[in-house]
Every structure is written in structure tokens, then in C-alpha cells.
């Protein structure tokens, strides 16, 4: 099953096992089951601490990774390859006693959770967001025998997916009820099941000393800004809803100078590792609520904590723009999707639409055309805005239909899932209906700046207006990245603007730390 190089790498990893691990394989005669059995046999051959047994199970094919001493277990329903192979390796290590890279307080919190928690996580093996969710739940399962997690390949267990009306991944069920959909971190999971967690977090955050530079946002701009500030010897903090921001949902990155090709999650991991090289206080999974100015700036968080800083650097990024038409919110996760790479495999053999004719929209259409039966691209403008090379590729594919001057007016469904959409031909005024099962929205980004209205100057589109040093209309407040009025929204540009704004904040601190009479004399 595994090639020679992968076997050698896995053997090296498995040398870190401290205690026995049992693989319980449930396999029928299907090709995927045979592959899973072969994978389990390969793993068993690489370590004397790994043993393999076979028996019938609820889902076939599946493989349970069990700690024979503590009776903790993690299950993979399907073949955990692609993005999920790392989840399997980590499950083996954590079940086998290799230390988890978690704060001691978090480990204690997980071990102390009362009650029974049976998680089921539906994924697609092409989803770059799914492994983070699977790995977070697997770590919990490795620490507490009352917690289990089953990773379920949605494209393999299609009957189960259909019965639960799952059309977006990752989808997490807890004790048979929907728990979350989309990216969710370990901290967010704990906040949902441990009701006192947020209060304890707020108390800890409220006790922090004032910062010199407080960065709001953990994407490329925020990470760059934090590194530059810390290198200047400034007391630096990062408040981030989710470290990595929009980049974590990006699959292929081929225009990051000096790196020929990479993927979003890999770049985010490198960014976070780089930030950890410096004395930066990272406060992840925290959302900013308001910003007030005074002798020190005060940043209020949703959990009630208030952080103080001499300067603030806003790098909150942007999110997917929505169509804002009837049916979009009702059928979100039930046929309306925003990530073709994650959710595309769930629409295998079906008809879908892509809304938007820019690079993102046409790239999505090309990717989906290799999976689904037919793709209809609806572009509001008179022409496509995607690069010519992408337009030529899309035009060459037989199952892609492109319509310009098409204004989507409504998403339709049967109450459970999407079954069509309506659009108006802007050239003729005629209304049309398209029967389909999925709608992928790719119409650009909207800045995460609503919470800053009436605080600093914004453009009509909600972008933060900055000068050449990244400073906003309020002295001491700086901004960088996609949330600003920068001409282009690119990863490398966001990083550069983060550095610029951080240096601007450093310059501001130098000038405002000098007594007034000496500044005048100078």
C-alpha cells in the first residue's frame, strides 16, 4: 500500500511509540477495504508495538486505533490518505504515548471533562480544512477514554451522508446531533462543551499587562507585523479569531516568491512556527468586539476581557462575499458552498453552479468539472474577469457552460437541500431557472471591519484607509492586509503591508515616548 519512501518515514515516526497500539480493522471485499487492510498490515510491520486484528464493525471499511492500556480509541471510516494521512500518523503517535503539543492547562481541561462524547466527523480527502478538525478531536480522544472520534470519508459513505443531508465538510456530529460545520479549533470545541471555559479565559486575558503593539488578526499581515514588532524588542501580542485567516482555506499557492508551490495550511503552519520563534503572546480563538482610545487603547473581546496597548495594528483580513439572495442562508451547508476543494467531492456526478467569473470562480469551475456532471458559471458582468489562460481551459471543457450578464436572484430547494436557482438575463430582462444540486459562491471578499465603524475612517466598501506607513485616521492605530484599501489582495502584498505598518507603529512609539519639550527642541 505504502511506497518505500513513505514506509521509511513512517517507521521513523513509529519509533516514538511508548506503549502498545492495537489496530482493529473492519473490512469487506470492496477495493477500498482491501487497500485499508494493506495499509494496516504495512503499519503493523513497522513497529513491534503495533498489533493488528480484524473483526466486523458498524462501518466497513474502517480502522480503529486503540490504546490497549487506557482503552482510548480513534476510528477512521474509510481510507485515511490524502490530507488525512497526517491525521492517521498523529493518531498512532498520540495513542502510543507520544506527547501532545498542547498546553498543560488544556490537557488537564480535556482529561477532566465529565460525561460521554462520541464525535463523528465527516470529511472529504481533498479538504484542506478537515484535518485540523479531525486532529483536534483525535487529541481529545487520545487523552480521555470517555471521548471518541470517528473520521468518516463522506465520498465513501454516501448513503449515510445523504440521510444526514451533509453537503459541506467538515461536518461534526456529537452524540448523534449536529455539533459544528466548517473549520473549528480545539479551543472552540472546548468552549462549546465546557461552559466555564470562556469565563476562565477572559479572567486570564484581563490580567495581562499593556502591550506596546497589539496585532488584531493572525493571517499573513498579522504574522508579519508581529514578527517585525517583536524583532524591535516591543512587547507584542496577537489576538486572532483563527490563526492563518483566509490563507488556511487556500489550496494551491504558486505565486509566493521564492516558493515554487505550496498549500495554504502548510504556509499557515510555517507562519505560526515563525511567530513562535519570537516573544509574541498569541491569543488565538479570540474575536475583537470594540476598540476605544484613551491614554492606552482598549480592545474589548467577545468574552468580556479588555486588553490594553500603546498602539494597535489591525489585520483582520476579509471573508467570502455572499450573494445576499433568498435561499442562500437557508441552504448554506445544504447545497450552497464557498469552498469547492472541500465540498466538491460531495457533489460527484451532480449538477452545480459557480457564481462569479473571476479567477476564483473559473478555477472552481475547472476543478469541479473533473468531479461533477455539469458546471454552469454565472457572471454578473458582460465579460469574464479571469485570466485568459483560465478562460481558455474552461472553454475547452465539455461540461462547463458559461453565462455572462446573469444575475442570480434566488436559490431554491425542497427544505432539506438545493434543487435549483433562478437568474435574470441582464441583457434581455428575461428570468430563467436552472435545475441543479449545488451552488458554489465565488464573488470575492468583504473586509472584516464592521466592528470598527465610527472608530476609524473606512471606504464605502468597508476597507480601512491607511497612509504610506500603514497608519489609519486615528493616530496610533495602524492597519495592514486585505482589510485595508490596498490596491491588490495578495498574500505577499499582505505580508509586506504588515511589515510596513509594524515599522510605522515602531516609529510612532519612538516619537511619542520622547517628552514634548524635547520633541519641540529637536
Amino acid at each position: 500500500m505504502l511506497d518505500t519512501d513513505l514506509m521509511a518515514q513512517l517507521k521513523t515516526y513509529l519509533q516514538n511509540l511508548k506503549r502498545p497500539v492495537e489496530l482493529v480493522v473492519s473490512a469487506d471485499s470492496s477495493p477500498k477495504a482491501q487497500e485499508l487492510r494493506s495499509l494496516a498490515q504495512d503499519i503493523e510491520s513497522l513497529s513491534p508495538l503495533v498489533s493488528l486484528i480484524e473483526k466486523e464493525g458498524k462501518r466497513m471499511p474502517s480502522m480503529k486505533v486503540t490504546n490497549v492500556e487506557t482503552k482510548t480509541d480513534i476510528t477512521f471510516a474509510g481510507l485515511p490518505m490524502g490530507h488525512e494521512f497526517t491525521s492517521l500518523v498523529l493518531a498512532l503517535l498520540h495513542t502510543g504515548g507520544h506527547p501532545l503539543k498542547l498546553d498543560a492547562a488544556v490537557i488537564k481541561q480535556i482529561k477532566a471533562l465529565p460525561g460521554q462524547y462520541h464525535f463523528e466527523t465527516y470529511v472529504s480527502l481533498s479538504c484542506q480544512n478537515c484535518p485540523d478538525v479531525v486532529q483536534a478531536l483525535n487529541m481529545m480522544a487520545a487523552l480521555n477514554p470517555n471521548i471518541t472520534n470517528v473520521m468518516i470519508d463522506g465520498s465513501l459513505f454516501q448513503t449515510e451522508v445523504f440521510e444526514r443531508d451533509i453537503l459541506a465538510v467538515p461536518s461534526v456530529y456529537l452524540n448523534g446531533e449536529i455539533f459544528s460545520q466548517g473549520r473549528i479549533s480545539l479551543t472552540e470545541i472546548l468552549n462549546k462543551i465546557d461552559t466555564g471555559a470562556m469565563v476562565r479565559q477572559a479572567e486570564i486575558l484581563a490580567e495581562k499587562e499593556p502591550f506596546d503593539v497589539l496585532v488584531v488578526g493572525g493571517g499573513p499581515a498579522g504574522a508579519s507585523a508581529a514578527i517585525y514588532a517583536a524583532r524591535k524588542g516591543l512587547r507584542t501580542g496577537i489576538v486572532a479569531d483563527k490563526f492563518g485567516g483566509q490563507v488556511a482555506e487556500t489550496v494551491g499557492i504558486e505565486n509566493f516568491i521564492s516558493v515554487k508551490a505550496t498549500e495554504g495550511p502548510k504556509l499557515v503552519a510555517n507562519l505560526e512556527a515563525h511567530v513562535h520563534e519570537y516573544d509574541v503572546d498569541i491569543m488565538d480563538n479570540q474575536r475583537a468586539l470594540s476598540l476605544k482610545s484613551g491614554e492606552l487603547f482598549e480592545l474589548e473581546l467577545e468574552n468580556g476581557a479588555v486588553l490594553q496597548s500603546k498602539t494597535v495594528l489591525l489585520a483582520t483580513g476579509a471573508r467570502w462575499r455572499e450573494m445576499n439572495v433568498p435561499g442562500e442562508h437557508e441552504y448554506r451547508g445544504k447545497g450552497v458552498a464557498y469552498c469547492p476543494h472541500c465540498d466538491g467531492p460531495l457533489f460527484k456526478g451532480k449538477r452545480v453552479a459557480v457564481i462569479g467569473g473571476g479567477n476564483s470562480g473559473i478555477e472552481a469551475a475547472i476543478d469541479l468539472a473533473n468531479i461533477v456532471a455539469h458546471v454552469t458559471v454565472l457572471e454578473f458582468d458582460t465579460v469574464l474577469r479571469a485570466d485568459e489562460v483560465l478562460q481558455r481551459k474552461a472553454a475547452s471543457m465539455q461540461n462547463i457552460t458559461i453565462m455572462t450578464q446573469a444575475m442570480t436572484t434566488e436559490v431554491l430547494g425542497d427544505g432539506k437541500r438545493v434543487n435549483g436557482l433562478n437568474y435574470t438575463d441582464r441583457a434581455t430582462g428575461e428570468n430563467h431557472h436552472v435545475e441543479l444540486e449545488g451552488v458554489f459562491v465565488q464573488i470575492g471578499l468583504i473586509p472584516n471591519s464592521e466592528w470598527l465603524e465610527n472608530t476609524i475612517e473606512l471606504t464605502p466598501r468597508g476597507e480601512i484607509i491607511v497612509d504610506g506607513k500603514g497608519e489609519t485616521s486615528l493616530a496610533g492605530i495602524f492597519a495592514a492586509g486585505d482589510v485595508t484599501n490596498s490596491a491588490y489582495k495578495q498574500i505577499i502584498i499582505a505580508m509586506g503591508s504588515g511589515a510596513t505598518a509594524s515599522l510605522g507603529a515602531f516609529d510612532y512609539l519612538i516619537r511619542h515616548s520622547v517628552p514634548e519639550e524635547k520633541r519641540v527642541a529637536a
Side-chain angles (χ1 to χ4, degrees), residues 50-70:
V50 178
S51 59
L52 169 63
I53 63 173
E54 292 195 39
K55 67 179 183 180
E56 289 190 8
K58 176 183 175 182
R59 297 182 179 91
M60 294 192 290
S62 67
M63 179 171 64
K64 184 181 292 185
V65 182
T66 302
N67 181 325
V68 296
E69 295 178 3
T70 63

Side-chain angles (χ1 to χ4, degrees), residues 155-220:
S155 61
L156 189 60
F157 292 88
Q158 292 181 337
T159 300
E160 195 171 319
V161 165
F162 183 82
E163 289 175 349
R164 281 185 160 174
D165 294 313
I166 296 169
L167 288 174
V169 291
S171 286
V172 180
Y173 280 72
L174 172 58
N175 298 335
E177 301 293 330
I178 187 68
F179 177 76
S180 71
Q181 195 170 70
R183 227 176 133 84
I184 186 170
S185 68
L186 176 59
T187 302
E188 289 173 304
I189 294 168
L190 291 173
N191 285 344
K192 290 188 72 169
I193 63 177
D194 184 356
T195 54
M198 290 187 68
V199 174
R200 293 194 299 272
Q201 288 176 21
E203 291 174 350
I204 294 171
L205 291 172
E207 293 177 356
K208 291 183 180 291
E209 295 295 322
F211 294 93
D212 293 321
V213 177
L214 182 59
V215 180
V216 187

Side-chain angles (χ1 to χ4, degrees), residues 147-426:
I147 301 173
T148 60
N149 183 45
V150 184
M151 183 221 79
I152 304 167
D153 181 355
S155 61
L156 189 60
F157 292 88
Q158 292 181 337
T159 300
E160 195 171 319
V161 165
F162 183 82
E163 289 175 349
R164 281 185 160 174
D165 294 313
I166 296 169
L167 288 174
V169 291
S171 286
V172 180
Y173 280 72
L174 172 58
N175 298 335
E177 301 293 330
I178 187 68
F179 177 76
S180 71
Q181 195 170 70
R183 227 176 133 84
I184 186 170
S185 68
L186 176 59
T187 302
E188 289 173 304
I189 294 168
L190 291 173
N191 285 344
K192 290 188 72 169
I193 63 177
D194 184 356
T195 54
M198 290 187 68
V199 174
R200 293 194 299 272
Q201 288 176 21
E203 291 174 350
I204 294 171
L205 291 172
E207 293 177 356
K208 291 183 180 291
E209 295 295 322
F211 294 93
D212 293 321
V213 177
L214 182 59
V215 180
V216 187
S224 173
I227 290 170
Y228 265 75
R231 286 176 60 86
K232 292 293 186 182
L234 302 175
R235 174 167 162 74
T236 306
I238 288 183
V239 172
D241 181 15
K242 293 178 182 177
F243 201 94
Q246 197 75 16
V247 176
E249 300 178 13
T250 304
V251 179
I253 300 172
E254 299 178 349
N255 58 355
F256 189 72
I257 310 306
S258 82
V259 179
K260 185 176 180 181
T262 187
E263 295 180 344
K266 186 180 295 185
L267 180 57
V268 169
N270 290 338
L271 279 174
E272 190 165 11
H274 196 173
V275 174
H276 276 291
E277 290 292 315
Y278 296 91
D279 188 15
V280 176
D281 189 345
I282 300 177
M283 294 159 278
D284 206 358
N285 300 292
Q286 302 296 334
R287 189 185 293 270
L289 185 64
S290 67
L291 179 62
K292 297 178 181 178
S293 60
E295 185 176 347
L296 291 171
F297 292 107
E298 294 188 344
L299 183 74
E300 183 182 1
L301 306 181
E302 280 192 347
N303 62 15
V306 176
L307 300 173
Q308 295 183 320
S309 185
K310 296 175 183 177
T311 64
V312 175
L313 200 154
L314 304 166
T316 48
R319 62 188 184 276
W320 290 116
R321 185 180 296 276
E322 298 179 349
M323 297 183 292
N324 292 317
V325 300
E328 180 179 15
H329 283 280
E330 180 183 354
Y331 290 103
R332 184 166 187 165
K334 300 177 181 179
V336 174
Y338 301 84
C339 180
H341 302 288
C342 300
D343 301 332
L346 300 178
F347 294 84
K348 184 177 180 180
K350 301 184 183 299
R351 301 159 297 178
V352 304
V354 171
I355 313 301
N359 283 346
S360 296
I362 299 304
E363 285 176 355
I366 293 169
D367 289 344
L368 289 166
N370 294 312
I371 303 171
V372 304
H374 188 269
V375 182
T376 301
V377 177
L378 302 178
E379 166 55 44
F380 183 86
D381 206 347
T382 56
V383 295
L384 298 180
R385 291 165 286 109
D387 294 343
E388 184 63 31
V389 63
L390 295 175
Q391 293 190 41
R392 287 199 301 270
K393 175 64 176 177
S396 71
M397 303 184 79
Q398 299 300 311
N399 62 338
I400 295 180
T401 300
I402 297 175
M403 299 180 182
T404 56
Q405 298 195 73
M407 180 176 69
T408 305
T409 56
E410 186 176 9
V411 177
L412 305 171
D414 61 6
K416 291 185 176 181
R417 55 181 62 208
V418 167
N419 60 23
L421 67 75
N422 293 335
Y423 75 92
T424 299
D425 186 327
R426 296 176 56 236

Side-chain angles (χ1 to χ4, degrees), residues 469-492:
K469 293 184 177 181
E471 193 165 23
T472 70
S473 58
L474 185 59
I477 301 294
F478 296 79
D482 288 0
V483 73
T484 71
N485 61 332
S486 62
Y488 304 103
K489 315 301 184 186
Q490 297 288 314
I491 295 170
I492 198 164

